[in-house]
Amino acid sequence: MQIQAVRGFRDVLPGEVALWHKVEEIARSVLERYGFREIRIPILEKTELFSRSIGESTDIVEKEMYTFTDRSGISLTMRPEATAGILRAYIEHSLFQLEPVSKLYCIGPMFRHERPQKGRYRQFHQINAEVLGSSDPRTDAELLALLRTLFEELGLGELDFQLNSLGCPRCRPGFRSKVAEYLGSKKAHLCSDCQRRLMTNPLRVYDCKVATCKEALAGAPVILDELCQECGAHFLSVQKNLSLLGVPFSVNPFIVRGLDYYRRTTFEVVSSDLGAQNAVCGGGRYDGLIGELGGPDLPGIGFAIGEERLVSILQGRAGVPSFSLDLFLAALGEEATEKAFLYLDKARRLGLKAEMDLRGGSLKAQMRRANKLGSRRLLILGEDELSRGVATVKDMDGGTQVEIPLEELESAMAGWKEACSQRG
């Protein structure tokens, strides 16, 4: 019987990987321009880390985590999100002592046992960025400006930046009570999950995508009416600085995040290309979380971009970048094949993307292979070329061809590499 991938886990095939590379290369470039440095954290963490940071009453902790007990009896969890792991590393290695404000990012897989749908899988990948140590509202605006730059450079200029504030421990309890009272009168119209959330985390009802729950929220209280003076001033300053930087945004008072640690600024970037689950990026401020995890009482803010969703949008708009070679070597005869095999290695060591068909075959068949791989140049080496000490090199785009003496071939390949580098 054929073994297939686990439901909700998917293979990223060679034809798609080029687009993933493009997304990650641009993301790294933009993040590092904004002062972020990469951190790599484990996939496995102690379960306690997520129950303490995310919140035991969240859907993630209650229903979605991949958790198991190892041979030492320790409960471990495959990371469902990256912020908790980044903060654990930040605290454990005392990174806060190295600089007053740390900007960290990571790229990698996360795991949640939820219903697979378009752009959402049980193993999914995120680009995460965190700013630790700054409570200045300009930091919030800077992070959204970064996202604006990133999405522009990816060619996504039609995304909606939605902004809200979730208040703080001073102003949120009163709002939570009003929400619970209001939704209690609408309980019959809520889905079973939201009826359960009423008892544990009523704010999560705002994040429900079920139509009847959305209708029940039509007259619900909004947090922006309940903000304390400090939270209100902070939110107004974030908007002022976004306008200063020319970052377009809209205020959506119904945005909440699925994790308990968020407070004050929260945001989503949504796309019309993804249907109901339309958020391609989400994030916000989590002042207080570092202290709750055993570190100093420092503020933080961050975001997570769903790579699968981002790639899905880019595929729909621009297609998948084609794979191409710098050089394909076609050899005819055993002696020529041996010589070409040597030049193949030299080309690769010089930095060229080079290939040859070691099975041999006719020149016509090898040229078809070169065309299929999108090679820029074709190097032909046969008995006639060997006898004259030359190689025939064909420009696959222009159709022109020249003969290059074999003793000059290595320096010619070095020149091709330099030309490829300048072309980008």
Side-chain angles (χ1 to χ4, degrees):
M1 182 175 118
Q2 183 181 10
I3 300 175
Q4 296 184 331
V6 177
R7 184 170 184 260
F9 291 70
R10 66 184 290 268
D11 303 303
V12 181
L13 301 178
E16 301 173 82
V17 167
L19 192 50
W20 286 69
H21 283 175
K22 175 184 176 181
V23 167
E24 292 172 7
E25 285 168 8
I26 293 176
R28 283 190 166 91
S29 172
V30 172
L31 284 161
E32 290 172 10
R33 265 182 272 155
Y34 278 76
F36 286 78
R37 299 168 65 191
E38 186 173 8
I39 183 172
R40 300 192 180 191
I41 55 173
I43 286 174
L44 280 179
E45 298 276 6
K46 293 179 180 177
T47 303
E48 179 187 10
L49 174 66
F50 301 113
S51 59
R52 285 176 60 186
S53 61
I54 296 174
E56 293 189 359
S57 63
T58 59
D59 287 354
I60 294 172
V61 171
E62 287 184 342
K63 301 187 297 183
E64 297 174 1
M65 295 200 312
Y66 282 93
T67 298
F68 64 93
T69 302
D70 74 357
R71 294 181 180 180
S72 301
I74 300 172
S75 180
L76 301 177
T77 294
M78 299 172 72
R79 62 186 187 197
E81 56 94 42
T83 300
I86 291 174
L87 296 193
R88 190 267 313 145
Y90 175 75
I91 296 166
E92 183 175 340
H93 300 286
S94 300
L95 298 184
F96 49 86
Q97 293 182 352
L98 301 179
E99 48 193 37
V101 177
S102 295
K103 294 182 174 181
L104 304 171
Y105 79 90
C106 75
I107 300 174
M110 313 295 156
F111 304 86
R112 296 184 193 175
H113 191 280
E114 53 187 349
R115 185 171 64 86
Q117 52 193 289
K118 183 180 180 180
R120 174 174 286 186
Y121 302 93
R122 290 175 176 173
Q123 176 179 310
F124 57 99
H125 298 75
Q126 288 185 340
I127 301 167
N128 293 265
E130 318 290 343
V131 182
L132 310 175
S134 173
S135 60
D136 194 307
R138 283 171 291 199
T139 299
D140 309 30
E142 179 187 41
L143 208 58
L144 284 156
L146 182 160
L147 287 168
R148 184 262 315 264
T149 301
L150 172 57
F151 293 137
E152 281 180 349
E153 295 197 10
L154 285 169
L156 303 176
E158 300 175 6
L159 298 172
D160 186 12
F161 288 68
Q162 299 184 2
L163 189 67
N164 192 22
S165 175
L166 293 180
C168 69
R170 288 192 301 275
C171 50
R172 198 186 302 179
F175 173 64
R176 183 185 177 116
S177 298
K178 289 185 178 181
V179 170
E181 181 181 353
Y182 174 84
L183 291 176
S185 67
K186 304 283 186 178
K187 187 173 181 179
H189 303 285
L190 301 179
C191 68
S192 57
D193 279 341
C194 285
Q195 290 181 10
R196 175 180 52 80
R197 290 169 183 147
L198 274 180
M199 306 301 295
T200 57
N201 193 353
L203 300 189
R204 288 287 288 115
V205 178
Y206 284 71
D207 199 34
C208 186
K209 302 298 187 288
V210 176
T212 54
C213 295
K214 282 183 169 292
E215 292 170 5
L217 286 168
V222 294
I223 183 65
L224 298 181
D225 295 333
E226 306 293 331
L227 296 180
C228 66
Q229 185 175 355
E230 288 186 13
C231 288
H234 185 278
F235 190 52
L236 286 175
S237 183
V238 172
Q239 296 175 72
K240 175 185 174 183
N241 283 286
L242 286 172
S243 298
L244 176 67
L245 298 177
V247 178
F249 68 91
S250 60
V251 175
N252 181 351
F254 290 98
I255 288 180
V256 298
R257 304 299 303 147
L259 312 175
D260 281 354
Y261 54 62
Y262 284 107
R263 62 180 68 174
R264 288 196 174 174
T265 306
T266 186
F267 56 86
E268 288 186 352
V269 183
V270 301
S271 167
S272 59
D273 295 335
L274 290 171
Q277 296 291 338
N278 60 356
V280 71
C281 173
R285 183 164 284 284
Y286 45 82
D287 301 348
L289 180 57
I290 296 172
E292 290 174 15
L293 292 176
D297 187 17
L298 294 173
I301 184 172
F303 65 74
I305 300 173
E307 279 198 81
E308 278 83 357
R309 294 185 181 187
L310 195 54
V311 168
S312 176
I313 296 171
L314 290 171
Q315 283 178 327
R317 294 188 178 185
V320 178
S322 58
F323 175 78
S324 63
L325 290 174
D326 299 315
L327 178 65
F328 187 93
L329 295 90
L332 299 171
E334 182 59 31
E335 186 180 355
T337 298
E338 184 175 314
K339 195 78 170 176
F341 188 53
L342 174 62
Y343 283 117
L344 174 67
D345 183 62
K346 289 181 183 293
R348 289 167 171 169
R349 292 173 68 184
L350 285 167
L352 293 168
K353 289 188 288 184
E355 187 60 275
M356 68 180 289
D357 193 337
L358 296 175
R359 300 171 302 173
S362 68
L363 179 59
K364 188 175 181 180
Q366 293 186 66
M367 289 181 70
R368 281 200 302 267
R369 179 69 174 157
N371 273 315
K372 187 173 183 181
L373 293 174
S375 185
R376 291 172 176 169
R377 290 182 178 84
L378 173 68
L379 188 152
I380 302 170
L381 198 59
E383 292 180 0
D384 177 57
E385 283 81 8
L386 281 180
S387 67
R388 294 186 291 115
V390 299
T392 300
V393 178
K394 181 177 181 179
D395 184 322
M396 299 294 280
D397 293 326
T400 59
Q401 64 182 47
V402 295
E403 289 186 345
I404 299 176
L406 293 180
E407 63 267 20
E408 298 176 12
L409 186 54
E410 191 168 346
S411 61
M413 290 193 294
W416 300 339
K417 173 56 184 173
E418 185 177 349
C420 290
S421 300
Q422 291 174 352
R423 189 161 43 201

CSV table of all heavy atoms in Angstrom, one decimal, residues 295-316:
chain,number,residue,atom,x,y,z
A,295,GLY,N,11.4,36.7,33.0
A,295,GLY,CA,12.4,37.7,32.7
A,295,GLY,C,12.2,39.0,33.3
A,295,GLY,O,11.3,39.2,34.1
A,296,PRO,N,12.9,40.0,32.9
A,296,PRO,CA,12.7,41.4,33.4
A,296,PRO,C,11.3,41.9,32.8
A,296,PRO,O,10.8,41.5,31.8
A,296,PRO,CB,13.8,42.2,32.8
A,296,PRO,CG,14.3,41.4,31.6
A,296,PRO,CD,14.0,40.0,31.9
A,297,ASP,N,10.8,42.9,33.5
A,297,ASP,CA,9.5,43.5,33.1
A,297,ASP,C,9.7,44.5,31.9
A,297,ASP,O,9.8,45.7,32.1
A,297,ASP,CB,8.9,44.2,34.3
A,297,ASP,CG,7.4,44.7,33.9
A,297,ASP,OD1,6.9,44.2,32.9
A,297,ASP,OD2,6.9,45.6,34.6
A,298,LEU,N,9.9,43.9,30.7
A,298,LEU,CA,10.1,44.7,29.5
A,298,LEU,C,9.0,44.5,28.5
A,298,LEU,O,8.3,43.5,28.4
A,298,LEU,CB,11.4,44.2,28.9
A,298,LEU,CG,12.7,44.5,29.6
A,298,LEU,CD1,13.9,43.8,28.9
A,298,LEU,CD2,13.0,46.0,29.8
A,299,PRO,N,8.7,45.6,27.7
A,299,PRO,CA,7.7,45.5,26.7
A,299,PRO,C,8.1,44.8,25.5
A,299,PRO,O,9.3,44.6,25.3
A,299,PRO,CB,7.4,47.0,26.4
A,299,PRO,CG,8.7,47.7,26.7
A,299,PRO,CD,9.3,46.9,27.8
A,300,GLY,N,7.1,44.4,24.7
A,300,GLY,CA,7.5,43.7,23.4
A,300,GLY,C,6.3,43.9,22.4
A,300,GLY,O,5.2,44.1,22.8
A,301,ILE,N,6.7,43.8,21.1
A,301,ILE,CA,5.7,43.8,20.1
A,301,ILE,C,6.3,43.0,18.9
A,301,ILE,O,7.5,42.9,18.7
A,301,ILE,CB,5.4,45.2,19.6
A,301,ILE,CG1,4.3,45.2,18.5
A,301,ILE,CG2,6.7,45.9,19.1
A,301,ILE,CD1,3.8,46.6,18.2
A,302,GLY,N,5.4,42.3,18.1
A,302,GLY,CA,5.9,41.5,17.0
A,302,GLY,C,4.8,41.1,16.1
A,302,GLY,O,3.6,41.5,16.2
A,303,PHE,N,5.1,40.4,15.0
A,303,PHE,CA,4.2,39.9,14.1
A,303,PHE,C,4.6,38.5,13.5
A,303,PHE,O,5.7,38.1,13.7
A,303,PHE,CB,4.0,40.9,12.9
A,303,PHE,CG,5.2,41.1,12.0
A,303,PHE,CD1,5.6,40.1,11.1
A,303,PHE,CD2,6.0,42.2,12.1
A,303,PHE,CE1,6.8,40.3,10.3
A,303,PHE,CE2,7.1,42.4,11.3
A,303,PHE,CZ,7.5,41.4,10.4
A,304,ALA,N,3.6,37.9,12.9
A,304,ALA,CA,3.9,36.6,12.2
A,304,ALA,C,3.2,36.6,10.9
A,304,ALA,O,2.0,37.0,10.8
A,304,ALA,CB,3.3,35.4,13.1
A,305,ILE,N,4.0,36.3,9.8
A,305,ILE,CA,3.4,36.2,8.5
A,305,ILE,C,3.3,34.7,8.1
A,305,ILE,O,4.2,34.0,8.3
A,305,ILE,CB,4.4,36.9,7.5
A,305,ILE,CG1,4.6,38.4,7.8
A,305,ILE,CG2,3.9,36.7,6.1
A,305,ILE,CD1,5.6,39.1,7.0
A,306,GLY,N,2.1,34.4,7.6
A,306,GLY,CA,1.9,33.0,7.2
A,306,GLY,C,2.5,32.8,5.8
A,306,GLY,O,2.0,33.4,4.8
A,307,GLU,N,3.5,32.0,5.7
A,307,GLU,CA,4.2,31.9,4.4
A,307,GLU,C,3.3,31.2,3.3
A,307,GLU,O,3.3,31.5,2.2
A,307,GLU,CB,5.5,31.1,4.5
A,307,GLU,CG,6.7,31.9,5.0
A,307,GLU,CD,8.0,31.3,4.7
A,307,GLU,OE1,8.5,31.4,3.6
A,307,GLU,OE2,8.5,30.6,5.7
A,308,GLU,N,2.6,30.1,3.7
A,308,GLU,CA,1.7,29.4,2.8
A,308,GLU,C,0.7,30.4,2.2
A,308,GLU,O,0.5,30.4,0.9
A,308,GLU,CB,1.0,28.3,3.5
A,308,GLU,CG,1.8,27.0,3.6
A,308,GLU,CD,2.7,27.0,4.8
A,308,GLU,OE1,2.7,28.0,5.6
A,308,GLU,OE2,3.4,26.0,5.1
A,309,ARG,N,0.1,31.3,3.0
A,309,ARG,CA,-0.8,32.2,2.5
A,309,ARG,C,-0.2,33.2,1.5
A,309,ARG,O,-0.7,33.6,0.5
A,309,ARG,CB,-1.5,32.9,3.6
A,309,ARG,CG,-2.4,32.0,4.4
A,309,ARG,CD,-3.2,32.7,5.5
A,309,ARG,NE,-4.0,31.8,6.3
A,309,ARG,CZ,-4.9,32.2,7.2
A,309,ARG,NH1,-5.0,33.4,7.4
A,309,ARG,NH2,-5.5,31.3,7.9
A,310,LEU,N,1.0,33.7,1.9
A,310,LEU,CA,1.7,34.6,1.1
A,310,LEU,C,2.1,34.1,-0.2
A,310,LEU,O,1.9,34.7,-1.3
A,310,LEU,CB,3.0,35.1,1.9
A,310,LEU,CG,3.7,36.4,1.4
A,310,LEU,CD1,2.7,37.5,1.3
A,310,LEU,CD2,4.8,36.7,2.3
A,311,VAL,N,2.6,32.8,-0.2
A,311,VAL,CA,3.0,32.1,-1.5
A,311,VAL,C,1.7,31.9,-2.3
A,311,VAL,O,1.8,32.1,-3.6
A,311,VAL,CB,3.7,30.8,-1.1
A,311,VAL,CG1,3.8,30.0,-2.4
A,311,VAL,CG2,5.1,31.1,-0.6
A,312,SER,N,0.6,31.6,-1.7
A,312,SER,CA,-0.6,31.4,-2.5
A,312,SER,C,-1.0,32.6,-3.2
A,312,SER,O,-1.4,32.6,-4.4
A,312,SER,CB,-1.7,30.9,-1.5
A,312,SER,OG,-3.0,30.8,-2.2
A,313,ILE,N,-0.9,33.8,-2.6
A,313,ILE,CA,-1.3,35.0,-3.3
A,313,ILE,C,-0.3,35.3,-4.4
A,313,ILE,O,-0.7,35.7,-5.5
A,313,ILE,CB,-1.2,36.2,-2.3
A,313,ILE,CG1,-2.3,36.0,-1.2
A,313,ILE,CG2,-1.4,37.5,-3.0
A,313,ILE,CD1,-2.1,37.0,0.0
A,314,LEU,N,1.0,35.1,-4.2
A,314,LEU,CA,2.0,35.4,-5.2
A,314,LEU,C,1.8,34.4,-6.4
A,314,LEU,O,2.0,34.9,-7.5
A,314,LEU,CB,3.4,35.3,-4.6
A,314,LEU,CG,3.8,36.4,-3.6
A,314,LEU,CD1,5.1,36.0,-2.9
A,314,LEU,CD2,3.9,37.7,-4.3
A,315,GLN,N,1.5,33.2,-6.1
A,315,GLN,CA,1.3,32.2,-7.2
A,315,GLN,C,0.1,32.7,-8.1
A,315,GLN,O,0.2,32.6,-9.3
A,315,GLN,CB,1.0,30.8,-6.7
A,315,GLN,CG,2.2,30.1,-6.2
A,315,GLN,CD,1.9,28.8,-5.6
A,315,GLN,OE1,0.8,28.6,-5.0
A,315,GLN,NE2,2.8,27.8,-5.7
A,316,GLY,N,-0.9,33.2,-7.5
A,316,GLY,CA,-2.1,33.6,-8.2
A,316,GLY,C,-1.8,34.9,-9.0
A,316,GLY,O,-2.5,35.1,-10.1
